[in-house]
Amino acid sequence: MRIANENVSLQADFLRVLPDYTLADNVGSAYSVHRYIVDAHLGGPEGLAKARHMLTQRGLRLILDFVPNHVAPDHPWAFERPEYFVQGTHEDLAQASNAFFEVSGTVIAHGRDPYFPPWPDVAQLNAFSPGLRRAVGETLNLVVEQCDGIRCDMAMLLLNHIFEHTWNGRVGEHPPEEYWREVISAVRLQHPNALFLAEVYWDLEWELLQLGFDYCYDKRLYERLEHDSAESIRLHLTAGLDYQDKLV
């Protein structure tokens, strides 16, 4: 929220799309999620159901966003289920207050990826926690009842080898099963037609497709269109259609 209110470039983009935009219209960060319930500012669950119905009448399906790597620092789990989070010590907090915060006596890590500093507006979930995986499956089953599919933010961060690398020494060895295979399977037991779309970078698209995702971002094509030659784009598009058909 602070970034959106202070970044001049973002402000210009907001005003270009929404000429009557004001700072009061920014009610929070889309990536610092307190609960997966539509806020009353946006019409609540009833408003979402109405919007979905209108989309269906037009032959369109509704995809909702899910942020698997982290939640808001005031998410109920931070108070009720601290074992769902990557934790630190009070010494960690004293030495790196930008990377940790305290909730009811428990020191919790701020969210991050392997290459950038911590994000101060979010709390890092522990993808290796069996309890968290079950809770995420339950949460997504509730979300998918309100839509036709889920777009998963930065999905590659939850891959066992990526998560272990990011949090080396704090989360132990990875479990035998991949996070996404476990979570997606739990959802499809109740909603077999639920569609899963992964935001993914670092050439990990194929790996996520093997874990149950229906589609992945084609980040490499985007980068080639922006920076590379026409020949590199042509070669990119010669990949097998069985793979390309899964990229968006």
Side-chain angles (χ1 to χ4, degrees):
M1 182 173 180
R2 185 184 67 192
I3 294 173
N5 284 344
E6 296 178 359
N7 186 289
V8 175
S9 178
L10 278 177
Q11 290 292 313
D13 286 342
F14 294 159
L15 290 170
R16 177 175 53 82
V17 178
L18 301 168
D20 59 347
Y21 171 82
T22 68
L23 293 182
D25 294 319
N26 179 20
V27 296
S29 168
Y31 302 99
S32 182
V33 179
H34 176 69
R35 291 185 304 169
Y36 282 92
I37 298 175
V38 180
D39 193 275
H41 286 88
L42 302 174
E46 297 80 9
L48 178 63
K50 183 176 180 179
R52 184 186 184 191
H53 176 69
M54 295 173 70
L55 289 170
T56 301
Q57 289 181 317
R58 291 161 173 78
L60 299 173
R61 292 192 288 174
L62 175 65
I63 303 294
L64 294 181
D65 202 60
F66 173 64
V67 184
N69 187 65
H70 44 262
V71 294
D74 62 348
H75 191 287
W77 288 345
F79 302 91
E80 300 166 5
R81 296 290 184 180
E83 70 273 16
Y84 289 178
F85 295 85
V86 174
Q87 297 185 14
T89 65
H90 285 89
E91 183 179 356
D92 292 326
L93 179 61
Q95 294 179 350
S97 59
N98 67 317
F100 297 91
F101 67 103
E102 186 174 352
V103 177
S104 300
T106 300
V107 176
I108 294 175
H110 283 301
R112 62 182 294 260
D113 78 0
Y115 303 111
F116 291 94
W119 302 308
D121 61 337
V122 294
Q124 177 66 53
L125 294 167
N126 183 356
F128 291 174
S129 163
L132 173 73
R133 292 183 176 197
R134 289 191 295 270
V136 168
E138 293 168 2
T139 298
L140 283 178
N141 270 311
L142 294 174
V143 173
V144 83
E145 289 176 358
Q146 306 171 72
C147 63
D148 303 292
I150 304 290
R151 177 263 187 193
C152 298
D153 178 79
M154 300 286 281
M156 73 286 179
L157 293 181
L158 287 302
L159 289 169
N160 280 349
H161 64 95
I162 298 293
F163 196 79
E164 187 173 42
H165 170 67
T166 304
W167 295 102
N168 183 33
R170 293 195 181 276
V171 293
E173 294 185 3
H174 64 70
E177 186 61 272
E178 284 282 354
Y179 173 97
W180 285 117
R181 191 185 303 280
E182 196 169 329
V183 168
I184 292 175
S185 295
V187 174
R188 287 194 169 136
L189 282 174
Q190 297 186 35
H191 302 92
N193 297 320
L195 183 146
F196 278 84
L197 167 65
E199 178 191 18
V200 53
Y201 308 122
W202 313 330
D203 296 320
L204 293 168
E205 295 87 352
W206 179 253
E207 188 170 346
L208 285 168
L209 288 171
Q210 304 315 298
L211 296 177
F213 279 94
D214 298 286
Y215 299 98
C216 288
Y217 280 22
D218 194 350
K219 181 63 160 53
R220 183 62 62 192
L221 176 60
Y222 174 84
E223 291 175 342
R224 293 188 194 282
L225 287 168
E226 189 173 21
H227 302 294
D228 291 350
S229 66
E231 177 64 10
S232 71
I233 296 168
R234 186 189 70 80
L235 291 173
H236 182 95
L237 296 176
T238 61
L241 289 179
D242 59 335
Y243 177 58
Q244 287 199 56
D245 284 348
K246 299 293 185 179
L247 301 178
V248 295

